[in-house]
Amino acid sequence: MADSSNGSSEPVVCKYKLPTVKFTKLFINGEFVDSLSGKSFETIDPRTGQLIGRVAEGDKEDVDLAVKAARHAFDNGPWPRLSGFERGRIMMKFADLIDGHVEELAALDTINAGKLFSIGKAVDIPQAAHGFRYYAGAADKIHGEVLKMSGELHGYTLHEPIGVVGHIIPWNFPSNMFSMKVAPSLAAGCTMVLKPAEQTPLSALYYAHLAKLAGIPDGVLNVVTGFGATAGAAVASHMDIDKVSFTGSTEVGRVVMQAAATSNLKSVSLELGGKSPLIIFDDADTDKAAQLALIGILFNKGEICVASSRVFVQEGIYDELVKKLVEKAKAWKVGDPFDPSVGHGPQVDKKQFEKILSYIEHGKREGASLLIGGKPSGDKGYYIEPTIFADVKEDMLIAKDEIFGPVLSLMKFKTVEEAIKCANNTKYGLAAGIVTKNLDVANTVSRSIRAGIIWINCYFAFDKDCPYGGYKMSGFGRDMGMEALHKYLQVKSVVTPIYNSPWL
């Protein structure tokens, strides 16, 4: 099995000084407040399964208050009426404040989501700050265009903020997702209500505190913690929310879209599940390809919607690559996410932990060959060993369903045409990877796979300027890039007659 930390069967819990949880109430209209019901819910440390604390449980009435604040801030407040430059200046200050609290924010995501502390400090939190700077730079570049009308008319377009936005974000990347949703909508001039996942509410509340310090006006950003079936449903169905942006499972995305349709037909963007293929051709460097395959499934303990959970290997290098992949997995260290030598920490909660283990049992029963892993790691917390299955058939559950854990399915192919067919044999279309030295193959395959982002000889190559989203049941709409800004804008055409003009 993979190294479970220092040769022990139980991951070592590091003696890092845990952060003090400062914010546990709802953030509405610039203030931290209790839920109207007075209810709260537990938030759990997945490293141990023990209680971190209790967080205010918002529901429909609290969402109503938050939307009222956001609506007032949009209709009457300064934020949409500030120049783009002024909005950008405040967002830059917000980014600076995030940079000043990197360690505390990273620690909150570690104790709340089981994320690696070292990656949080080096990547997640700096990237959240970078997201605010990127869209701060775009805030004063929002403009329409002059139209060439066919008659004696002058026409132009305006890009106006869409209004009050409801953001519903998942638990696997709490900081990245907060920035990914909030930054472009702030730049556009929108106001918003954000509901973080109930598993990981802590960093979102801290970001709300920093937003206040940065000078974002009251009511512009509201954070309502609570459960999807109550607070999330209230956001999706609210008659005074103009747009919902949701990242999460395809099943819940369907419910969000239905709620939007049956309420006020609000605009919806959805970034949903994935079952992404990584296709490795015979000419690939097997060591590099094995490393990409390993990182593609084990990064963030497999809790990432673009995980390369289906790896297709051309038959000429299949045996060699599988051998290297298993060797690398054996050296992978599972343990406390505060330990800088660890490869991945615990799954986010008990429910996800048990779901992943049930899929592993499905894989065994359906006849896939378990090469490594397949078991919990340790006696405490929600740790699972890196798990690799070979001899996987495309109709097996482990090859069809999004598992969202460190479970890899290996399959063999012969031809380019077969690889394309297998890659597209899924209801999802979020991402794909291609490993080859042949440019013609890379071009053909990248244009043939129905997915929103294709990585060639790399994986997880995200960038703030690179749009990201899905085909098919992986959703629609794009995060990141200028496309993300545009989805929070309405296009208005303005036309006026031209009299006695010497030219049109």
Side-chain angles (χ1 to χ4, degrees), residues 122-305:
V123 180
D124 286 19
I125 313 306
Q127 282 298 309
H130 179 36
F132 282 99
R133 291 193 180 96
Y134 177 89
Y135 289 105
D140 62 355
K141 300 169 185 66
I142 297 169
H143 54 79
E145 60 181 349
V146 176
L147 307 174
K148 186 66 175 175
M149 309 290 280
S150 59
E152 293 184 340
L153 300 166
H154 174 64
Y156 60 93
T157 59
L158 299 172
H159 288 185
E160 299 180 345
I162 201 167
V164 176
V165 179
H167 295 300
I168 304 174
I169 63 174
W171 41 257
N172 56 331
F173 285 89
S175 290
N176 302 68
M177 290 295 173
F178 182 95
S179 173
M180 195 181 295
K181 304 292 189 186
V182 171
S185 48
L186 283 177
C190 297
T191 63
M192 63 210 68
V193 177
L194 180 137
K195 193 206 87 68
E198 54 264 33
Q199 296 89 341
T200 55
L202 297 180
S203 59
L205 293 170
Y206 203 108
Y207 284 115
H209 161 69
L210 296 180
K212 172 95 172 180
L213 295 181
I216 293 175
D218 294 348
V220 172
L221 171 63
N222 304 273
V223 178
V224 177
T225 52
F227 293 94
T230 49
V235 169
S237 62
H238 205 286
M239 294 296 292
D240 215 14
I241 287 179
D242 301 299
K243 177 182 178 64
V244 170
S245 178
F246 171 79
T247 296
S249 71
T250 298
E251 293 72 25
V252 176
R254 195 191 299 271
V255 174
V256 169
M257 194 170 176
Q258 288 172 339
T262 56
S263 53
N264 61 343
L265 273 176
K266 61 178 68 66
S267 171
V268 177
S269 56
L270 304 172
E271 192 266 280
L272 306 176
K275 194 70 178 175
S276 300
L278 176 64
I279 306 170
I280 302 172
F281 288 91
D282 278 347
D283 63 344
D285 180 315
T286 54
D287 194 63
K288 177 182 178 181
Q291 187 64 25
L292 283 177
L294 189 77
I295 296 297
I297 192 61
L298 297 185
F299 177 67
N300 204 51
K301 54 283 190 357
E303 293 174 347
I304 179 167
C305 45

Side-chain angles (χ1 to χ4, degrees), residues 350-362:
K350 185 178 181 181
K351 180 180 177 182
Q352 184 65 17
F353 172 76
E354 292 175 345
K355 173 189 168 185
I356 295 165
L357 292 175
S358 73
Y359 271 110
I360 291 171
E361 292 306 310
H362 272 297

Side-chain angles (χ1 to χ4, degrees), residues 361-384:
E361 292 306 310
H362 272 297
K364 294 176 184 176
R365 285 198 300 270
E366 290 183 318
S369 301
L370 181 64
L371 301 183
I372 188 171
K375 303 188 299 297
S377 181
D379 302 320
K380 184 191 299 183
Y382 307 128
Y383 300 87
I384 294 178

Side-chain angles (χ1 to χ4, degrees), residues 2 294 298 329 332 334 344 372-375 384-388 406-407:
L294 189 77
L298 297 185
W332 188 266
V334 181
H344 79 247
I372 188 171
K375 303 188 299 297
I384 294 178
E385 297 173 350
T387 300
I388 300 173
V407 182

Side-chain angles (χ1 to χ4, degrees), residues 13 70 79 87 103 130 177 186 228 240 279 323 327 338 352 411 444 446 455 463 472:
V13 177
W79 189 253
R87 286 200 302 274
E103 185 144 329
H130 179 36
M177 290 295 173
L186 283 177
D240 215 14
I279 306 170
K323 181 182 177 182
E327 287 173 355
F338 283 108
Q352 184 65 17
M411 288 166 273
T444 297
S446 63
W455 291 302
D463 189 88
K472 300 189 284 187

